[in-house]
Amino acid sequence: MKKKLAAIAMATAMAASLAACSSKPAETTAAAEENEETTAEAAEGSEAAEAGDSAFAGKTLVMSTNAEFAPYEYHDGNDIVGIDVDIANAICEDMGASLEITDVAFDSIIPEVQSGKADFAAAGMTVTEDRQTQVDFSDTYATGVQSVIVTEDSDIKSLDDLKGKQIGVQQGTTGDLYSTDDFGEESVQRFSKGADAVQALSTGKIDAVIIDNKPAQVFVDENDGLKLLETPYAEEEYAIAVKKGNTELLDAINASIANLEESGKLDEIVAKYITAE
Ligand code: GLN
C-alpha cells in the first residue's frame, strides 16, 4: 500500500500548509503568527462583503459540480442540494451574488473552470498536486477519506485482499487514480456515477468499490448487503477550485470559508446533512 501511505503523507503535508493559510483561531501559535496577515485580509474581505460592495455584488456566479455525491451534492426532485450547495450559497450571499449550478461529469468539472464556463467548482473535490497545476484551490473546508465498500459476505478483509480483485470507482476521482496506481489498470472498472459502481458490486459484477467515505456511508445505508471496510484507504482535503490566477474570487471565497468556520455555520450545514457519524 505504498500509494496509500504516500497519499496520506501528501494530505498531511497539505493539511499543514493549508492550516497556515487558514484563519481558524484554534491553529498552533506558529501557524497563527504566520497567519496574521491572511486573517487581516480575510476580515477585510468579510467587511467588504457585509458592506455589500464586493466586486461580485449583483453578479451571478456559476458553480460546476457533479450531483452524484450525497451528502455533498445530489438531486432532490428537481433541485440540487447538499453540503457544497449550502456552502456555495453562503459564499455567494456574503458577496451579494447569486448562485447558478451546472451539473456535469466529475472529470469535466476542472475543464469547465479552466475554460471560464464556470466561476468555481464545489464538488467534494480533493486537493491533489496534479489538480493544483490546473486550478487554484481555496482553503480546505472538509476532510475526506477514501473508503472501501464490499458485500457483507466478502472475503476481502483488508486492503491487501484487494490485490487481483475487480475494483469499481467513479471515473477521474482520487479513488480511480489511487486504485489504478496501487492495483493496476486491469483491476479497476470505471463508472460515470458512484451509484453505478455500487450497483455493479451488489449484482456481483465487481468485488469492491473505492469512494469517499461520506457517499460510501450513504450507499451502504441505502443498499442491503453492503458494508465498509474498517481500514481507510487514503485521507484527503476538500477545497473549492477557481480558474488559475483568479485571486479576487479566491480571496472572497476564502474570506467566506473563514466566516463560516468562525461563526459555526459550517458545522451547522454539515450537521443538517450528516445526522450520525
Ligand atoms: N474527492 C474525490 C475527488 O476529488 C471524489 C469527488 C467526487 O466524486 N465528487 O476525486
Side-chain angles (χ1 to χ4, degrees):
M1 291 310 102
K2 205 160 29 91
K3 182 69 195 182
K4 184 197 110 195
L5 293 176
I8 291 175
M10 189 182 80
T12 311
M14 220 177 302
S17 73
L18 287 166
C21 314
S22 156
S23 58
K24 270 171 83 178
E27 302 302 348
T28 62
T29 320
E33 274 167 14
E34 274 178 33
N35 213 359
E36 260 164 32
E37 212 184 305
T38 320
T39 311
E41 280 165 14
E44 264 173 39
S46 72
E47 273 161 30
E50 274 158 32
D53 58 356
S54 110
F56 303 97
K59 302 220 164 109
T60 297
L61 293 179
V62 178
M63 158 181 153
S64 181
T65 197
N66 172 241
E68 302 292 341
F69 197 69
Y72 285 93
E73 42 270 326
Y74 57 100
H75 292 273
D76 181 13
N78 289 331
D79 297 330
I80 295 174
V81 298
I83 295 171
D84 284 335
V85 177
D86 281 12
I87 291 173
N89 266 312
I91 288 171
C92 286
E93 205 175 295
D94 267 355
M95 295 179 198
S98 311
L99 178 69
E100 185 183 313
I101 300 176
T102 57
D103 182 20
V104 298
F106 185 77
D107 52 5
S108 299
I109 293 176
I110 287 185
E112 293 249 317
V113 171
Q114 288 177 309
S115 71
K117 269 198 204 163
D119 297 293
F120 68 94
M125 186 175 283
T126 303
V127 181
T128 69
E129 277 177 21
D130 188 44
R131 290 175 184 165
Q132 277 172 319
T133 66
Q134 304 168 45
V135 287
D136 285 341
F137 281 104
S138 71
D139 293 341
T140 184
Y141 63 89
T143 304
V145 182
Q146 291 298 311
S147 300
V148 184
I149 312 177
V150 294
T151 52
E152 264 166 8
D153 58 359
S154 175
D155 57 356
I156 299 169
K157 311 270 183 243
S158 70
L159 296 171
D160 281 338
D161 295 338
L162 286 169
K163 284 185 194 131
K165 303 283 189 190
Q166 286 299 304
I167 303 164
V169 295
Q170 188 185 10
Q171 169 127 355
T173 60
T174 45
D176 177 3
L177 306 174
Y178 300 156
S179 46
T180 305
D181 270 6
D182 279 348
F183 303 104
E185 188 72 44
E186 64 289 354
S187 291
V188 178
Q189 292 195 26
R190 303 189 175 89
F191 297 84
S192 58
K193 299 176 185 180
D196 294 343
V198 170
Q199 174 72 13
L201 175 64
S202 291
T203 52
K205 296 195 178 82
I206 55 175
D207 305 301
V209 171
I210 294 184
I211 195 160
D212 302 47
N213 57 329
K214 295 289 192 285
Q217 190 59 57
V218 173
F219 287 131
V220 168
D221 292 346
E222 286 178 353
N223 294 275
D224 287 340
L226 301 181
K227 65 175 184 188
L228 283 174
L229 278 198
E230 286 188 4
T231 329
Y233 182 47
E235 290 178 25
E236 312 177 316
E237 302 288 336
Y238 294 166
I240 291 174
V242 302
K243 190 174 183 169
K244 273 218 151 293
N246 191 353
T247 46
E248 191 173 38
L249 181 57
L250 195 63
D251 289 349
I253 289 173
N254 280 337
S256 278
I257 291 175
N259 280 346
L260 287 173
E261 284 179 344
E262 278 157 28
S263 66
K265 176 123 198 252
L266 185 61
D267 290 339
E268 266 172 45
I269 291 173
V270 172
K272 179 174 151 193
Y273 291 96
I274 301 173
T275 42
E277 279 296 304

